[in-house]
Amino acid sequence: MAGNTIGNVFRLTTFGESHGSAIGGVVDGCPAGLTLDVDFIQQELNRRRPGYSEGSSPRKEEDIFQIVSGVYLGKSIGTPIAFIISNKDQQPSDYAHLEKTFRPSHADYTYTQKYGIRDPRGGGRSSARETAARVAGGAIAKLLLNSLNVRVQAYVSAIGPIMLAADYRTLTLEKAERSPVRCPDEETALNMISYLETLRSQGDSTGGVITGIISGVPPGWGEPVFDKLQADLAKAMLSINAVKGFEYGSGFAGASMIGSEHNDLFEPRQGNDNSQFIKTRTNYSGGIQGGISNGEDIYFRVAFKPVSTIMKDQISVDEQGHQVLLEGKGRHDICIAPRAVPIVEAMAAITLVDHYLRATFSKI
Amino acid sequence: MAGNTIGNVFRLTTFGESHGSAIGGVVDGCPAGLTLDVDFIQQELNRRRPGYSEGSSPRKEEDIFQIVSGVYLGKSIGTPIAFIISNKDQQPSDYAHLEKTFRPSHADYTYTQKYGIRDPRGGGRSSARETAARVAGGAIAKLLLNSLNVRVQAYVSAIGPIMLAADYRTLTLEKAERSPVRCPDEETALNMISYLETLRSQGDSTGGVITGIISGVPPGWGEPVFDKLQADLAKAMLSINAVKGFEYGSGFAGASMIGSEHNDLFEPRQGNDNSQFIKTRTNYSGGIQGGISNGEDIYFRVAFKPVSTIMKDQISVDEQGHQVLLEGKGRHDICIAPRAVPIVEAMAAITLVDHYLRATFSKI
Amino acid sequence: MAGNTIGNVFRLTTFGESHGSAIGGVVDGCPAGLTLDVDFIQQELNRRRPGYSEGSSPRKEEDIFQIVSGVYLGKSIGTPIAFIISNKDQQPSDYAHLEKTFRPSHADYTYTQKYGIRDPRGGGRSSARETAARVAGGAIAKLLLNSLNVRVQAYVSAIGPIMLAADYRTLTLEKAERSPVRCPDEETALNMISYLETLRSQGDSTGGVITGIISGVPPGWGEPVFDKLQADLAKAMLSINAVKGFEYGSGFAGASMIGSEHNDLFEPRQGNDNSQFIKTRTNYSGGIQGGISNGEDIYFRVAFKPVSTIMKDQISVDEQGHQVLLEGKGRHDICIAPRAVPIVEAMAAITLVDHYLRATFSKI
Amino acid sequence: MAGNTIGNVFRLTTFGESHGSAIGGVVDGCPAGLTLDVDFIQQELNRRRPGYSEGSSPRKEEDIFQIVSGVYLGKSIGTPIAFIISNKDQQPSDYAHLEKTFRPSHADYTYTQKYGIRDPRGGGRSSARETAARVAGGAIAKLLLNSLNVRVQAYVSAIGPIMLAADYRTLTLEKAERSPVRCPDEETALNMISYLETLRSQGDSTGGVITGIISGVPPGWGEPVFDKLQADLAKAMLSINAVKGFEYGSGFAGASMIGSEHNDLFEPRQGNDNSQFIKTRTNYSGGIQGGISNGEDIYFRVAFKPVSTIMKDQISVDEQGHQVLLEGKGRHDICIAPRAVPIVEAMAAITLVDHYLRATFSKI
């Protein structure tokens, strides 16, 4: 009810404030027998680290993934997998000047209104640091998806006004990970980096868009009414800090198309082994029809707003309602999108695994 | 788990297939003491009826709202409010030719894959007819919101390529209801109608966009991590048939802005009664910060794909995997957006009421 | 949250007040492909009817089970199975004198305290009439269990001080259904009937005990911590009106045993087909160890308090807090246990089916 | 779904195996502003420690409660309260001989059947060690109940055949905590200790009964259908290891009473401040009517089976299905009841707090 858990069968609960002793999570509902590849999980966490990309904050967080329970001799045993990620870099002094001030477009004001009390150190629970626990939980989900040959990949398709408009099927997605801004097109990536450098010199920030692709999902995942697969994906994405929008398949652009163009015609196909199956000629549906996967790629786009913390002075209001001047200082990302790629993948993976498990009891 | 329920405290469960005896729903968790204005609920249902707008199907459904339980002497008594809407217009013969065929971009194929069995009459459970139960449940939610002075309004801001770009604050929203396409700008509405007429003559369909506004929400509604207010709104919207995208506040456009422009600066204000409160100078945040309402308007946009049923012949595949020709006949809407306005409002209202009730135990 | 739903994967939501237009329910999560034997469901409802046993009320309720959704050509299709049972015998005039009075040991006072409003006709939602919807939902669960060779049976093992102490394994359980008090031992049954006749002449009532047996459950059903199989059974039973206690296996008597006697020793066994399996020599565990079924019979006992409505005058208090005299009149059961047998079975079946479905994703 | 969480608004999730690095829990839904008295929580944990009572195991666990999140400057801030209790005394070598053997009346066999894999060290997740996390979570619930003047108390009312039959209202409950067996009647306590000593010399074990009392609950807590207050209490109690039965109010004894005796007559009363209220003359209802608290004491009894680990050799079966001899050695309690008193209190407190929060939105 307080909303710190996501998923129905595969459930991730996260906990922890930015500058408390640790953050962490509990994965409940992971089937027994899964090999918990801790190196892979750690590697996923490393992908989220600041300092990794051009547009990131200099804070050196070492996010060490530490399993507390649920694993025996390297395998999941069906019990809750709890994990801890210690907060090494606790610098509460940095935030003393913010304790009584509501930063613009942060959660300071709304937390105070809701709870009457808040942890002002680095945004407390509202900090994007919470997403490290999502990445760890998502890595466990990915391990399960791997065993099903389902793959989740994301890349940066826009930073500010610099956009990569190409269809994902024309790109070499593996290149994204080698790019400091996680954009698989090298020329666009250079333009993005150049734009970020300009913003850095101005003390400003920007937003971005991440494109995600889920391939290998068989037909039949998703519940057809309120828990449509796309509905749960949308919720998962909009639950990420700074996300302002989600679209899948044809998305907003599809709204201006006509039906005879947008309809994905079914076609019979024959596999290498002579098996018969059905494909769609186009995939404006984005791999989901009636809330249920149809076997085609699921693809979607997620919009992130500009980072709220900027290196410019801004007016604001303190807890007494007095106007104050907020100095632009401290650590920050110029654009969150590059770091958010593993977060988007994690949330997609968690959503998919949950629906995979839910689909097991659709029929007798 | 099968996903026919939405909400946590205020919960709507819907049931029913398009051509079964009835559809209906159960609202559980409505507080006792609410006056159940049945006329209002019926009026909301009437707003969803086909035949109401230019771009709608000629089927004359009379959706009569009938309360089964949970109301005594006109008031809610805290027990489940069950309701039934009979299916008057059962025409199973219309659908005989579809029984073994998977219509393009419908749910026929995915339901068959998931369940191994399906009700082929009018799409069965996947029919948009299910949304009548949402509108009824949403009407109950609206009655509760009314008592809190919270208002939910939506209008059509695009049909195909015809868009109303104006900021919602410059429009007279009440005009939408008087427009056959539920667009509050008369000139744009005429263009939309003209476009729909062209499509009708071609036997084609199109998509559209609905803009929603929720005003009067006090600060403090929403749970800050996975159940962010925008996350639950996104899920609610993406759970509507044909929706391809959701954005709120600055949305996708916000991704290309810079932080110093996008940040909503707080300002102290004084009410007529000399009370002090805080407002933001701009509202790119869309009334939600850190997943919690901040007292400003919540506004969002929802994209609908073109209607899948068109009056043109299309190739498709039958259950045996053979290519078949699907004739373009039967009933259909040219664009679902005008009829979907009350559905969008209903889903928003249900989400808001649920978070209102959840917010009651945030602090001691 | 308002507690009108039970189950996690197989979920039953009930609705309806005793003297509203109907009661009913929604089963969500029933796998597709189950043959919905409506005659069987109706037969189960008939078993709950008053007038069936000696100790029952003369009201002739005809509980006609009517499916609204979720079934096509006689089979479940994976969508919610909604059903309605009309209230034929609405006699609100009978209850006029109770409208402002709190009947002793009924829910009148607590509902008023909780909701500020109540439906006084026949106890409204608190009436045992609600259990008809449970029996219908339970019948669907039984149909699914039948396909798995799991059998749920219950019988009356005590009415007031008249007890049947014999071990259930020494009884011919089928005899219970032929007994007017649902006791499988004929001599005890006669004593029970005689005791009920005495109470009837005195205008008094009594309580009773029901014993339940679930056979055929394979090892591995149940979740080991909070949702232990026995914990969910206990909740299911205590959620039935008038139930005061639950015990399973050795129960309260087991508390005074010693470990060397109580431990159920494992023994290897060989099946007719030479298969190897494991049995326990005794079954004090009641078929559940660590919250998970072990393949032995699950058996339990449920205690019911005396019926609160009696044909004697009693003092009570009205809504204004004034002492009033409550006349003993109206309809009532002398002992609810015989009619409650199908209710106990229904709640057990719902609990078991839910755990069967949950167990499907315990391991990869 | 995997059942490691209890509660709806106030939710406790526990994690951890007996001999992993730590056990712990996450309390989600605790309202902000509660003073988290860590000394009190630690004191509650100490009450559960072995070595505290005569009938306990010599293992010296030091259960140090360590908060990870959710608390700032000593108060809850509305975010998840995660806590860790390290496992100091990891002795995996003790359990080597049990790795392949199914101990009688333990969960070894059922876990293996369910998960295909298990942590054999000290029972892994099935160990009663998990209940330490419940006691910690329950202590937080107690802190909230204290602020509402609701008190939860439990005591040992039977050990084996030695029973304390007295009505709880005739006892000085505070004496329980000063007794090594947590029995408030000194003479009975001595008999219990004497009986435990006999069993110790025989290498045997026994069961017991705990009586719990919840006082100060106002009318109106509890949801009236499936989530009746007694149903959730029953589930909470039956979820504790070794519990075989639950009864409240008149319980099983009530089943043999007659209605005119069992009905709790309402009476008007006048408070010291001249306020009018309603009391019942008797309290066979056990403080709950129609699933909702009525303002009287809630009292209940919980039966525990004999401890399964005994110091006697027993036959059993190994994973290959071969008969083996299991030596009686290792650590164990003779009777779990004295140590289980704080666990029973914790589960009652969690259940009550959850229903307190749920009751806040019963009416507008």
Side-chain angles (χ1 to χ4, degrees):
Chain A
M1 286 294 307
N4 295 286
T5 300
I6 195 159
N8 288 266
V9 176
F10 186 94
R11 299 165 69 84
L12 172 67
T13 301
T14 70
F15 54 81
E17 281 72 51
S18 177
H19 288 70
S21 63
I23 63 163
V26 182
V27 170
D28 199 15
C30 182
L34 181 70
T35 300
L36 254 283
D37 182 342
V38 173
D39 289 344
F40 173 76
I41 300 169
Q42 184 62 55
Q43 193 178 327
E44 287 291 289
L45 271 177
N46 294 349
R47 291 177 68 207
R48 198 204 68 96
R49 258 196 352 221
Y52 193 90
S53 72
E54 293 296 312
S56 67
S57 113
R59 176 177 177 182
K60 290 277 177 244
E61 297 176 67
E62 290 181 53
D63 288 341
I64 307 299
F65 176 76
Q66 187 185 346
I67 285 187
V68 177
S69 67
V71 179
Y72 182 63
L73 303 180
K75 292 204 172 190
S76 66
I77 55 173
T79 63
I81 303 172
F83 57 85
I84 288 282
I85 303 165
S86 290
N87 289 330
K88 304 279 184 194
D89 188 19
Q90 300 174 34
Q91 306 187 4
S93 62
D94 279 22
Y95 296 96
H97 67 296
L98 300 176
E99 205 159 329
K100 303 291 182 196
T101 303
F102 300 136
R103 292 168 298 162
S105 291
H106 279 87
D108 303 337
Y109 173 64
T110 54
Y111 268 62
T112 303
Q113 287 288 321
K114 181 176 179 66
Y115 297 118
I117 185 175
R118 69 184 163 103
D119 177 350
R121 301 168 302 166
R125 181 86 179 133
S126 74
S127 165
R129 177 142 186 75
E130 182 266 340
T131 57
R134 301 183 182 210
V135 169
I140 296 172
K142 278 186 175 182
L143 288 170
L144 190 47
L145 291 178
N146 283 349
S147 74
L148 303 164
N149 292 317
V150 173
R151 184 156 189 202
V152 178
Q153 284 174 282
Y155 64 88
V156 172
S157 48
I159 286 186
I162 317 297
M163 300 186 191
L164 174 61
D167 186 313
Y168 74 91
R169 287 166 293 194
T170 68
L171 301 169
T172 307
L173 298 185
E174 289 67 27
K175 286 188 183 171
E177 213 52 30
R178 297 196 295 271
S179 153
V181 287
R182 288 207 166 94
C183 175
D185 182 77
E186 282 146 24
E187 192 181 328
T188 312
L190 287 175
N191 290 338
M192 288 171 170
I193 292 167
S194 164
Y195 182 65
L196 291 175
E197 286 310 312
T198 305
L199 290 172
R200 187 196 301 278
S201 67
Q202 295 167 348
D204 218 322
S205 68
T206 192
V209 177
I210 290 176
T211 296
I213 301 103
I214 308 162
S215 54
V217 176
W221 294 10
E223 302 297 327
V225 180
F226 294 116
D227 294 0
K228 289 183 167 78
L229 191 49
Q230 70 269 36
D232 280 348
L233 278 171
K235 170 166 177 162
M237 296 307 148
L238 266 293
S239 79
I240 302 173
N241 287 9
V243 170
K244 303 301 288 185
F246 168 88
E247 59 180 4
Y248 83 105
S250 61
F252 275 88
S256 56
M257 291 172 70
I258 56 173
S260 58
E261 173 192 10
H262 192 276
N263 278 356
D264 296 319
L265 302 182
F266 287 112
E267 293 182 332
R269 295 282 173 86
Q270 196 165 326
N272 290 331
D273 55 350
N274 284 332
S275 65
Q276 301 286 328
F277 60 102
I278 288 173
K279 292 286 289 177
T280 60
R281 190 179 290 185
T282 50
N283 185 19
Y284 292 112
S285 295
I288 307 174
Q289 291 175 329
I292 305 168
S293 63
N294 69 353
E296 308 295 323
D297 282 356
I298 297 167
Y299 61 99
F300 57 89
R301 293 172 78 243
V302 184
F304 288 78
K305 70 169 187 178
V307 170
S308 300
T309 302
I310 54 176
M311 294 303 97
K312 291 185 165 179
D313 292 355
Q314 298 173 94
I315 60 153
S316 196
V317 166
D318 66 15
E319 293 195 356
Q320 276 69 45
H322 301 133
Q323 191 98 55
V324 293
L325 186 76
L326 192 67
E327 281 181 76
K329 65 176 185 179
R331 306 177 300 219
H332 81 119
D333 292 283
I334 300 169
C335 176
I336 203 65
R339 285 182 65 189
V341 164
I343 305 169
V344 164
E345 291 178 3
M347 295 311 295
I350 290 166
T351 305
L352 264 287
V353 160
D354 191 41
H355 275 286
Y356 155 64
L357 293 168
R358 291 172 74 172
T360 57
F361 36 73
S362 297
K363 53 189 168 190
I364 54 172
Chain B
M1 284 296 307
N4 295 287
T5 299
I6 197 160
N8 288 266
V9 177
F10 185 94
R11 299 165 69 83
L12 172 67
T13 301
T14 70
F15 54 80
E17 281 73 50
S18 177
H19 288 70
S21 64
I23 61 163
V26 182
V27 171
D28 199 18
C30 182
L34 181 70
T35 299
L36 256 282
D37 181 342
V38 174
D39 289 344
F40 173 76
I41 300 169
Q42 184 61 55
Q43 192 179 327
E44 287 291 289
L45 271 177
N46 294 348
R47 292 177 66 207
R48 198 202 70 96
R49 259 201 345 226
Y52 194 90
S53 71
E54 293 296 311
S56 69
S57 113
R59 176 176 178 182
K60 291 276 176 247
E61 297 176 66
E62 290 180 53
D63 289 341
I64 307 298
F65 176 78
Q66 187 185 346
I67 285 187
V68 177
S69 66
V71 179
Y72 182 64
L73 303 181
K75 293 205 171 189
S76 67
I77 57 173
T79 64
I81 303 172
F83 57 86
I84 288 282
I85 302 165
S86 291
N87 290 330
K88 304 280 185 194
D89 189 18
Q90 300 173 35
Q91 307 187 5
S93 61
D94 279 20
Y95 297 96
H97 67 298
L98 300 175
E99 206 159 330
K100 303 290 181 196
T101 304
F102 300 137
R103 292 168 297 163
S105 291
H106 279 88
D108 303 336
Y109 173 65
T110 54
Y111 268 63
T112 303
Q113 288 287 321
K114 182 176 178 67
Y115 297 118
I117 186 175
R118 70 183 162 101
D119 178 349
R121 301 168 299 166
R125 181 81 178 137
S126 73
S127 164
R129 175 139 188 77
E130 181 266 342
T131 57
R134 300 184 184 210
V135 169
I140 297 173
K142 277 187 176 182
L143 288 170
L144 190 47
L145 290 178
N146 284 348
S147 75
L148 303 164
N149 292 318
V150 173
R151 182 152 192 206
V152 178
Q153 285 174 282
Y155 64 88
V156 173
S157 49
I159 285 185
I162 318 296
M163 299 186 192
L164 175 61
D167 185 314
Y168 74 89
R169 286 165 295 196
T170 68
L171 301 169
T172 307
L173 298 185
E174 288 67 26
K175 286 188 183 172
E177 213 51 30
R178 298 197 295 271
S179 154
V181 288
R182 288 207 167 95
C183 175
D185 182 77
E186 283 146 23
E187 192 181 328
T188 313
L190 287 174
N191 290 338
M192 288 171 171
I193 291 167
S194 164
Y195 183 65
L196 290 175
E197 287 308 313
T198 306
L199 290 172
R200 185 197 302 275
S201 67
Q202 295 168 347
D204 218 323
S205 67
T206 193
V209 177
I210 291 177
T211 296
I213 302 104
I214 307 161
S215 54
V217 176
W221 294 10
E223 301 297 326
V225 180
F226 295 115
D227 295 358
K228 288 183 168 77
L229 190 50
Q230 70 269 37
D232 280 348
L233 278 171
K235 171 168 176 160
M237 295 307 149
L238 267 292
S239 80
I240 301 173
N241 288 8
V243 170
K244 303 302 286 186
F246 168 87
E247 59 180 4
Y248 83 104
S250 61
F252 276 88
S256 56
M257 291 172 70
I258 56 172
S260 57
E261 176 192 6
H262 191 277
N263 278 355
D264 296 319
L265 302 182
F266 288 112
E267 293 182 332
R269 295 282 173 85
Q270 197 165 325
N272 290 333
D273 56 350
N274 284 332
S275 66
Q276 301 286 328
F277 61 100
I278 288 174
K279 293 286 288 178
T280 60
R281 191 179 289 185
T282 50
N283 185 19
Y284 293 111
S285 296
I288 307 175
Q289 292 175 330
I292 304 167
S293 63
N294 69 354
E296 307 295 323
D297 282 356
I298 297 167
Y299 61 99
F300 56 90
R301 294 173 77 244
V302 184
F304 288 79
K305 70 169 186 178
V307 170
S308 300
T309 301
I310 55 177
M311 295 301 98
K312 292 185 165 182
D313 292 354
Q314 299 173 94
I315 61 156
S316 195
V317 167
D318 66 14
E319 292 196 355
Q320 276 68 45
H322 301 133
Q323 190 98 55
V324 294
L325 186 76
L326 193 68
E327 281 182 76
K329 65 176 186 181
R331 305 179 300 220
H332 81 120
D333 292 283
I334 300 169
C335 176
I336 202 64
R339 284 183 66 190
V341 164
I343 305 168
V344 164
E345 290 178 3
M347 295 311 295
I350 290 166
T351 306
L352 265 285
V353 160
D354 191 41
H355 275 286
Y356 155 64
L357 292 168
R358 292 171 74 173
T360 56
F361 37 72
S362 298
K363 53 190 168 188
I364 54 173
Chain C
M1 285 295 308
N4 295 287
T5 299
I6 196 161
N8 289 266
V9 176
F10 185 95
R11 299 164 69 84
L12 172 67
T13 300
T14 71
F15 54 82
E17 282 71 51
S18 176
H19 289 70
S21 62
I23 63 163
V26 182
V27 170
D28 199 16
C30 182
L34 181 70
T35 299
L36 256 283
D37 181 342
V38 174
D39 289 344
F40 174 76
I41 300 169
Q42 184 62 56
Q43 193 177 327
E44 287 291 289
L45 271 177
N46 294 348
R47 291 177 68 207
R48 198 202 69 96
R49 259 200 346 225
Y52 195 88
S53 71
E54 293 296 312
S56 68
S57 112
R59 176 176 177 183
K60 291 276 177 243
E61 297 176 67
E62 289 179 54
D63 289 341
I64 306 299
F65 175 77
Q66 188 185 346
I67 284 187
V68 177
S69 67
V71 179
Y72 182 63
L73 303 181
K75 293 205 173 191
S76 66
I77 56 172
T79 64
I81 303 171
F83 58 86
I84 288 282
I85 303 164
S86 291
N87 290 329
K88 304 279 184 195
D89 189 19
Q90 300 174 34
Q91 307 187 2
S93 61
D94 279 20
Y95 297 95
H97 67 298
L98 300 176
E99 206 160 330
K100 303 290 181 195
T101 304
F102 301 135
R103 291 169 297 163
S105 292
H106 278 88
D108 304 336
Y109 172 64
T110 54
Y111 268 62
T112 302
Q113 288 288 320
K114 181 176 180 65
Y115 297 117
I117 185 174
R118 71 184 162 101
D119 178 350
R121 302 168 300 165
R125 181 85 179 134
S126 74
S127 164
R129 176 140 187 76
E130 181 265 342
T131 57
R134 300 183 183 211
V135 169
I140 296 172
K142 278 187 174 181
L143 288 170
L144 190 47
L145 290 178
N146 283 349
S147 75
L148 302 165
N149 292 317
V150 172
R151 183 155 191 204
V152 177
Q153 285 174 281
Y155 64 88
V156 172
S157 49
I159 285 185
I162 317 296
M163 300 186 190
L164 175 61
D167 186 314
Y168 74 89
R169 287 165 294 196
T170 68
L171 300 170
T172 307
L173 298 185
E174 290 66 28
K175 286 189 183 172
E177 214 49 31
R178 297 196 296 270
S179 154
V181 287
R182 287 206 168 95
C183 176
D185 182 76
E186 285 146 21
E187 192 181 328
T188 312
L190 287 175
N191 290 339
M192 287 172 171
I193 292 167
S194 163
Y195 182 65
L196 290 175
E197 287 309 314
T198 305
L199 290 172
R200 185 196 302 276
S201 67
Q202 295 167 351
D204 218 323
S205 68
T206 192
V209 177
I210 290 176
T211 297
I213 301 103
I214 308 162
S215 54
V217 177
W221 294 10
E223 301 298 326
V225 179
F226 294 116
D227 294 359
K228 288 183 168 77
L229 191 49
Q230 70 269 36
D232 280 348
L233 278 171
K235 172 168 176 162
M237 296 306 149
L238 267 292
S239 79
I240 302 172
N241 288 9
V243 170
K244 304 301 286 186
F246 168 86
E247 59 180 5
Y248 82 105
S250 62
F252 276 89
S256 57
M257 290 171 71
I258 57 174
S260 57
E261 175 193 8
H262 191 277
N263 278 355
D264 295 320
L265 302 182
F266 288 112
E267 292 182 334
R269 294 282 174 83
Q270 198 166 324
N272 291 332
D273 56 349
N274 282 335
S275 66
Q276 301 285 329
F277 61 100
I278 288 174
K279 294 284 290 177
T280 59
R281 190 179 290 184
T282 51
N283 184 19
Y284 292 113
S285 296
I288 307 173
Q289 291 174 329
I292 305 167
S293 63
N294 69 353
E296 308 294 325
D297 283 356
I298 297 168
Y299 62 98
F300 56 89
R301 295 171 76 242
V302 184
F304 289 79
K305 71 168 188 177
V307 170
S308 300
T309 302
I310 55 176
M311 294 301 98
K312 291 185 164 181
D313 292 355
Q314 299 173 93
I315 60 156
S316 196
V317 166
D318 67 15
E319 292 196 356
Q320 277 69 45
H322 301 134
Q323 191 97 55
V324 293
L325 186 76
L326 191 68
E327 280 183 77
K329 66 176 184 181
R331 305 178 299 219
H332 80 119
D333 292 284
I334 300 169
C335 176
I336 202 65
R339 284 183 66 188
V341 164
I343 306 169
V344 163
E345 290 179 3
M347 296 310 296
I350 290 165
T351 306
L352 265 285
V353 161
D354 191 42
H355 275 285
Y356 155 65
L357 292 167
R358 293 171 73 172
T360 57
F361 36 74
S362 297
K363 53 189 168 190
I364 55 172
Chain D
M1 285 294 307
N4 295 286
T5 299
I6 197 161
N8 289 267
V9 177
F10 185 94
R11 299 165 69 84
L12 172 67
T13 301
T14 70
F15 55 81
E17 282 73 50
S18 177
H19 289 69
S21 64
I23 63 164
V26 182
V27 170
D28 199 17
C30 181
L34 181 69
T35 299
L36 255 283
D37 182 342
V38 173
D39 289 345
F40 173 75
I41 299 169
Q42 185 60 55
Q43 191 178 328
E44 287 291 289
L45 271 177
N46 294 348
R47 291 177 66 207
R48 198 202 69 98
R49 257 195 354 219
Y52 194 90
S53 70
E54 293 296 311
S56 68
S57 112
R59 176 176 177 182
K60 290 276 177 247
E61 298 175 67
E62 289 181 54
D63 289 341
I64 306 298
F65 175 77
Q66 187 185 345
I67 285 187
V68 177
S69 67
V71 179
Y72 182 64
L73 303 181
K75 293 205 172 189
S76 66
I77 57 173
T79 63
I81 303 171
F83 58 86
I84 289 282
I85 303 165
S86 291
N87 289 330
K88 305 280 185 195
D89 188 19
Q90 300 174 33
Q91 307 186 3
S93 62
D94 280 21
Y95 297 95
H97 66 297
L98 300 176
E99 206 160 328
K100 303 291 181 195
T101 303
F102 300 136
R103 292 167 298 163
S105 292
H106 278 88
D108 303 337
Y109 173 64
T110 54
Y111 268 62
T112 302
Q113 288 288 320
K114 182 177 180 65
Y115 297 118
I117 185 175
R118 71 185 161 101
D119 178 349
R121 302 167 301 166
R125 181 84 178 135
S126 73
S127 165
R129 176 141 187 75
E130 180 266 341
T131 56
R134 301 184 182 209
V135 170
I140 296 173
K142 278 187 175 182
L143 288 170
L144 190 47
L145 290 177
N146 283 349
S147 75
L148 303 164
N149 292 317
V150 172
R151 184 157 189 203
V152 178
Q153 285 174 284
Y155 63 88
V156 173
S157 49
I159 286 185
I162 317 297
M163 300 185 191
L164 174 61
D167 185 313
Y168 75 89
R169 286 165 294 195
T170 68
L171 301 169
T172 308
L173 298 185
E174 289 67 28
K175 286 187 182 173
E177 214 51 30
R178 298 196 295 271
S179 153
V181 287
R182 287 207 168 97
C183 176
D185 182 78
E186 284 145 23
E187 192 181 327
T188 311
L190 287 174
N191 290 337
M192 288 171 170
I193 292 167
S194 164
Y195 181 66
L196 291 176
E197 286 309 313
T198 305
L199 290 172
R200 185 196 302 278
S201 68
Q202 295 168 349
D204 218 321
S205 68
T206 193
V209 177
I210 290 177
T211 296
I213 301 103
I214 308 162
S215 54
V217 177
W221 294 11
E223 301 298 326
V225 180
F226 294 115
D227 294 359
K228 288 184 168 77
L229 191 49
Q230 70 268 35
D232 280 347
L233 278 172
K235 170 167 177 161
M237 296 307 149
L238 267 292
S239 80
I240 302 172
N241 288 9
V243 169
K244 304 299 288 185
F246 167 86
E247 59 180 5
Y248 83 105
S250 62
F252 276 88
S256 56
M257 291 172 69
I258 55 172
S260 58
E261 174 192 8
H262 191 277
N263 278 354
D264 296 319
L265 302 182
F266 287 112
E267 292 183 332
R269 295 283 172 84
Q270 197 166 325
N272 290 332
D273 55 350
N274 283 334
S275 66
Q276 301 285 329
F277 61 101
I278 287 173
K279 293 285 289 178
T280 59
R281 191 180 288 185
T282 50
N283 185 19
Y284 292 113
S285 297
I288 307 174
Q289 291 174 331
I292 304 166
S293 63
N294 69 353
E296 308 295 323
D297 282 356
I298 297 167
Y299 61 99
F300 57 90
R301 293 172 77 242
V302 184
F304 289 78
K305 71 170 186 176
V307 170
S308 300
T309 302
I310 55 176
M311 294 301 98
K312 292 184 165 182
D313 292 355
Q314 299 173 94
I315 61 156
S316 196
V317 166
D318 67 15
E319 292 196 357
Q320 277 68 45
H322 301 135
Q323 191 98 57
V324 294
L325 187 75
L326 191 69
E327 281 181 76
K329 65 175 186 182
R331 304 178 301 218
H332 80 120
D333 292 282
I334 301 169
C335 176
I336 202 64
R339 285 182 65 188
V341 164
I343 305 168
V344 164
E345 291 178 3
M347 295 311 295
I350 289 166
T351 306
L352 265 286
V353 160
D354 191 41
H355 275 285
Y356 155 65
L357 292 168
R358 292 171 74 171
T360 56
F361 36 73
S362 298
K363 54 188 168 190
I364 54 173

